[in-house]
Amino acid sequence: MHGNAAERRIDDERPSRTSSVRRALETLAIALSVTYAGLNLVGFERNFILYLANVIAPVLAALLVLTLAARAALRLVPRAPLKRQRLLTAPEAALLAALLVPVAQGELRRGGFAAASVAAVEGEFSVLDANLLGPVNVSQNLLDEIVRREPDIVLLQELNPAVSERLTPLLAARYPCRVLNPQNGTTGMAVYSRFPCEPRDLGRAYFAAGLPQLVTMTLPSGKKLAVGNVHTNPPHVLPPAQEGQSFLAPLSETVALREAHTENILAELASMPADARILGGDFNATVRNRIYGIARNSGMQDSWSASSRFAGGTWPNASVSLVRWLLRLDFLFCSPELAPLSAENLSTAGGSDHRGLFVRLGWRRKG
């Protein structure tokens, strides 16, 4: 009898202990969710952890939405007559809200602009932008797609010498102006243009995955177009730690350097005598990161919004990861003098971890 009573006492205590642990975890989840959402709203994006959180927020949000939707559906099934559980518990709702805050913030930050009708523009031209994943030798089908689309301007990042030797002969006849800097690894850059063009020396030093390129092009109409090709440093590329710094300091500094990269290249573009400007490349950031706001606040338009306010993911490729096209890290920005007419992803990545962009632009008619 005594043994049975002791066992009953233990059984009676278990729910209480379990409830206490659950309540503690729920409280912690809510606190972390509120803190995370609050920090995103007030804009502490220069913190490295928050930078990464903003990058992965849409992925986590999508997974969480699917998980919670499945659990909510199960809760709709009554376990007892006329009794159903709540669709979401308090911590689940808090976590969902916290993850959706930066996603919603990014959508709001994107702003919007009406896609101009073809009748409202003149002098159409096209731009193709692609990160080719320098350490690999991308497949021929990607090079063939670049040739097939016949873009007027090609912006490439991570162009290695082997790919350059294969690609340039395919493009040489159409692109008399070529500003090439192929490099082993991930730092190669290239601009191909069928318009006469003149490269400009950089006015600043850049801490970057690839040194940016600035080119002035003269279009058939006589108008000047200032073009920037960028590849900002990825999160894992850190500046050297300074004496006396904590080991965490370079993590936040790399975010600040990426933002400074964008600010500086925009300033250099603005200083170039031109009728309009475009800036394209791999920014290693999403619409939720401050770097995107820097570009938009400068007056530049995000050309992808011409065709869709959602999707358009460019990274990662399924050939190098288990997931596919979850994040939009590659952008083509253009100044207000230009009207984005359409934007689409390339149909193949050719072995790269990024999927390229193909954008058609036109000059807005005055008046």
Side-chain angles (χ1 to χ4, degrees):
M1 295 294 292
H2 292 292
N4 292 336
E7 289 175 3
R8 281 196 299 272
R9 282 197 301 273
I10 292 173
D11 290 338
D12 291 340
E13 291 175 358
R14 281 174 181 164
S16 176
R17 291 176 181 174
T18 302
S19 298
S20 298
V21 172
R22 185 177 66 250
R23 283 195 297 271
L25 292 175
E26 289 178 351
T27 301
L28 178 62
I30 292 173
L32 291 175
S33 300
V34 171
T35 301
Y36 171 67
L39 289 174
N40 274 286
L41 287 174
V42 298
F44 290 137
E45 293 91 343
R46 290 204 173 194
N47 179 280
F48 182 75
I49 301 302
L50 287 176
Y51 167 83
L52 290 181
N54 277 321
V55 169
I56 65 174
V59 182
L60 294 179
L63 294 175
L64 188 59
V65 166
L66 292 175
T67 302
L68 297 185
R71 294 182 63 178
L74 291 174
R75 287 174 181 149
L76 289 173
V77 180
R79 297 184 180 180
L82 302 178
K83 182 179 179 181
R84 289 183 173 88
Q85 294 188 21
R86 290 173 295 174
L87 293 182
L88 295 176
T89 65
E92 288 171 344
L95 282 170
L96 181 60
L99 288 170
L100 289 179
V101 161
V103 176
Q105 182 192 34
E107 287 301 317
L108 292 173
R109 180 183 286 168
R110 291 172 71 167
F113 57 91
S117 67
V118 176
V121 300
E122 56 189 359
E124 292 183 36
F125 62 95
S126 57
V127 183
L128 187 149
D129 172 80
N131 180 317
L132 301 181
L133 188 58
V136 307
N137 201 0
V138 292
S139 62
Q140 188 64 36
N141 62 341
L142 175 57
L143 305 186
D144 290 341
E145 183 170 11
I146 294 174
V147 175
R148 177 181 62 80
R149 286 184 179 266
E150 296 188 335
D152 297 302
I153 301 168
V154 180
L155 307 178
L156 299 178
Q157 304 88 46
E158 300 196 27
L159 176 69
N160 65 41
V163 174
S164 180
E165 289 178 5
R166 293 164 53 206
L167 179 62
T168 298
L170 300 176
L171 301 180
R174 180 174 172 83
Y175 301 92
C177 182
R178 300 184 290 277
V179 184
L180 308 181
N181 183 25
Q183 298 286 333
N184 290 316
T186 61
T187 58
M189 304 285 285
V191 175
Y192 295 84
S193 172
R194 76 176 184 88
F195 308 123
C197 71
E198 181 179 350
R200 168 174 163 163
D201 292 335
L202 297 174
R204 296 177 173 86
Y206 287 87
F207 180 81
L211 286 180
Q213 295 175 304
L214 293 171
V215 181
T216 301
M217 301 181 185
T218 304
L219 276 63
S221 63
K223 292 182 177 179
K224 300 288 187 180
L225 180 68
V227 178
N229 182 25
V230 302
H231 188 192
T232 66
N233 59 299
H236 65 275
V237 177
L238 305 178
Q242 303 298 316
E243 186 175 353
Q245 277 187 330
S246 71
F247 73 97
L248 293 175
L251 297 177
S252 292
E253 189 178 350
T254 193
V255 178
L257 287 169
R258 188 181 302 108
E259 294 168 358
H261 181 158
T262 304
E263 290 173 338
N264 292 338
I265 202 72
L266 284 166
E268 294 209 52
L269 269 177
S271 70
M272 297 169 63
D275 298 292
R277 293 159 180 82
I278 63 173
L279 178 65
D282 174 9
F283 288 80
N284 277 305
T286 73
V287 295
R288 283 152 294 280
N289 293 117
R290 185 172 176 268
I291 189 173
Y292 182 86
I294 290 170
R296 293 287 284 119
N297 291 338
S298 74
M300 299 288 268
Q301 306 169 96
D302 174 7
S303 60
W304 185 263
S305 298
S307 59
S308 173
R309 287 187 56 81
F310 298 97
T314 61
W315 185 90
N317 180 14
S319 67
V320 293
S321 69
L322 297 177
V323 291
R324 185 179 181 89
W325 316 136
L326 289 174
L327 303 176
R328 191 156 70 96
L329 305 183
D330 305 80
F331 299 90
L332 183 73
F333 296 104
C334 63
S335 61
E337 298 81 10
L338 297 170
L341 301 175
S342 66
E344 59 183 297
N345 293 121
L346 301 188
S347 58
T348 177
S352 173
D353 58 334
H354 288 249
R355 185 168 57 164
L357 299 171
F358 181 75
V359 178
R360 289 193 310 114
L361 301 166
W363 296 83
R364 294 186 186 272
R365 293 183 186 273
K366 294 183 179 180

